[in-house]
Amino acid sequence: MRKFVLLDRDGVINRRIADGYVTSWEQFEFLPRALDALKRLADHGYETIVVSNQAGVGKGLLSPEVLEDITRRFVAQVEAHGGRISKVYYCPHRPEDRCRCRKPEVGLLLQAQAEHGFNFADTFLVGDSESDLMAAERVGSPAVLVAAGRVDSTPAAGRSLVGVVESLNDAVGLILSRHPVARAQ
Ligand SMILES: [Mg+2]
Ligand SMILES: [Zn+2]
């Protein structure tokens, strides 16, 4: 059986820019052990899908082409480290656009599900914000919050939240412990 994990990007894989956006490759900084964590997922047979809000595009702070270039480069680094990212989905819209894909809306998640055919109930979503948790709750995915030392991260814990951890690597440890059948294939 194919196994999937849904990951937010900024604050989970790479360092988030406070009150801003990653607008160039120079600003894309992998978080500690994130590359190891992605390799671990691949080693255990998980297909990793990234689902990320990138309103900086809609605000004109970076072009779709630059976003695509950043994506190509970080996916290549993940692969060079032994990991694998099956697909990256972005919402480029601003909050006021009221689209259906910006988390906590679930449009991107539904698109990923339609294209890969996983069950949400069997698919963990790892995020660092309330909007990630809300989206997970709405589709029925178990959620892991990467809090990374933030003391203000006391989320309105929905039924879907299964753990609060310090890093993606810790999230992967939790996921592997909850999926005992998940062994390297
Ligand atoms: Mg985030
Ligand atoms: Zn959108």
Side-chain angles (χ1 to χ4, degrees):
M1 198 182 91
R2 294 169 72 191
K3 305 184 296 269
F4 292 85
V5 172
L6 299 162
L7 302 184
D8 176 42
R9 198 193 79 176
D10 301 341
V12 172
I13 295 173
N14 59 288
R15 199 172 298 284
R16 65 188 289 178
I17 308 272
D19 301 320
Y21 304 90
V22 174
T23 57
S24 69
W25 173 241
E26 288 66 36
Q27 293 176 321
F28 191 98
E29 181 189 353
F30 282 100
L31 284 164
R33 301 209 63 196
L35 287 167
D36 293 340
L38 289 161
K39 174 177 170 22
R40 255 173 112 191
L41 284 172
D43 287 348
H44 285 81
Y46 284 87
E47 297 180 48
T48 298
I49 296 172
V50 174
V51 180
S52 169
N53 292 346
Q54 292 297 331
V57 175
K59 294 178 183 178
L61 300 173
L62 77 163
S63 66
E65 291 74 23
V66 168
L67 179 61
E68 208 45 55
D69 180 61
I70 292 169
T71 304
R72 201 168 36 75
R73 291 181 191 231
F74 94 78
V75 168
Q77 288 220 357
V78 169
E79 289 176 354
H81 200 85
R84 194 170 117 74
I85 290 177
S86 299
K87 183 124 183 203
V88 181
Y89 295 91
Y90 290 120
C91 163
H93 308 114
R94 301 169 302 167
E96 57 267 38
D97 294 334
R98 300 192 173 281
C99 66
R100 294 185 177 181
C101 45
R102 182 178 165 81
K103 294 174 291 183
E105 298 300 323
V106 296
L108 285 187
L109 294 172
L110 293 178
Q111 190 186 345
Q113 197 273 340
E115 292 180 9
H116 294 86
F118 52 80
N119 288 322
F120 281 115
D122 299 327
T123 304
F124 284 83
L125 186 151
V126 183
D128 72 324
S129 71
E130 189 77 33
S131 61
D132 297 313
L133 300 181
M134 284 179 66
E137 177 88 32
R138 286 174 176 172
V139 295
S141 278
V144 181
L145 180 70
V146 176
R150 276 179 291 133
V151 286
D152 61 336
S153 53
T154 4
R159 280 169 291 117
S160 62
L161 183 65
V162 297
V164 181
V165 297
E166 279 298 300
S167 67
L168 175 57
N169 199 44
D170 289 347
V172 170
L174 179 64
I175 290 166
L176 295 180
S177 73
R178 295 293 182 100
H179 268 184
V181 293
R183 291 283 174 260
Q185 289 158 346

Coordinates of all heavy atoms in Angstrom, one line a residue, residues 8-12 16 128-129 132, ligand 1:
D8 N 3.5 21.0 5.2 CA 3.6 22.4 4.9 C 5.1 22.7 4.6 O 6.0 21.8 4.8 CB 3.2 23.2 6.2 CG 3.4 24.7 6.1 OD1 3.1 25.2 5.0 OD2 3.8 25.3 7.0
R9 N 5.4 23.8 4.0 CA 6.8 24.1 3.6 C 7.5 25.0 4.7 O 8.3 24.6 5.4 CB 6.9 24.8 2.2 CG 8.2 24.7 1.6 CD 8.4 25.6 0.4 NE 8.6 27.0 0.7 CZ 8.8 28.0 -0.1 NH1 8.8 27.7 -1.4 NH2 9.0 29.2 0.3
D10 N 7.1 26.3 4.7 CA 7.8 27.3 5.5 C 7.5 27.0 7.0 O 6.4 26.9 7.4 CB 7.4 28.7 5.2 CG 7.6 29.1 3.7 OD1 8.5 28.4 3.1 OD2 7.0 30.0 3.2
G11 N 8.6 26.9 7.8 CA 8.4 26.6 9.2 C 8.4 25.1 9.5 O 8.4 24.7 10.6
V12 N 8.5 24.3 8.4 CA 8.5 22.8 8.6 C 9.8 22.3 7.9 O 10.6 21.6 8.5 CB 7.2 22.2 8.0 CG1 7.4 20.7 8.0 CG2 6.0 22.6 8.8
R16 N 11.0 29.8 8.3 CA 10.0 30.8 7.8 C 10.6 32.2 8.0 O 11.4 32.4 9.0 CB 8.7 30.6 8.5 CG 8.7 30.9 10.0 CD 7.4 30.5 10.7 NE 6.4 31.4 10.4 CZ 5.1 31.3 10.8 NH1 4.8 30.3 11.6 NH2 4.2 32.1 10.5
D128 N 3.1 24.1 10.8 CA 3.5 24.9 11.9 C 2.5 26.0 12.2 O 2.9 26.9 13.0 CB 4.9 25.5 11.6 CG 4.8 26.6 10.6 OD1 4.0 26.5 9.6 OD2 5.6 27.6 10.7
S129 N 1.4 26.0 11.6 CA 0.4 27.1 11.9 C -1.0 26.6 12.1 O -1.3 25.4 11.8 CB 0.5 28.1 10.8 OG -0.1 27.6 9.6
D132 N -2.8 25.2 9.1 CA -2.5 23.9 8.7 C -3.4 22.9 9.6 O -3.9 21.9 9.0 CB -1.0 23.5 9.0 CG 0.0 24.3 8.2 OD1 -0.3 24.5 7.0 OD2 0.9 24.9 8.8
Ligands
MG1 MG 4.2 27.2 7.6

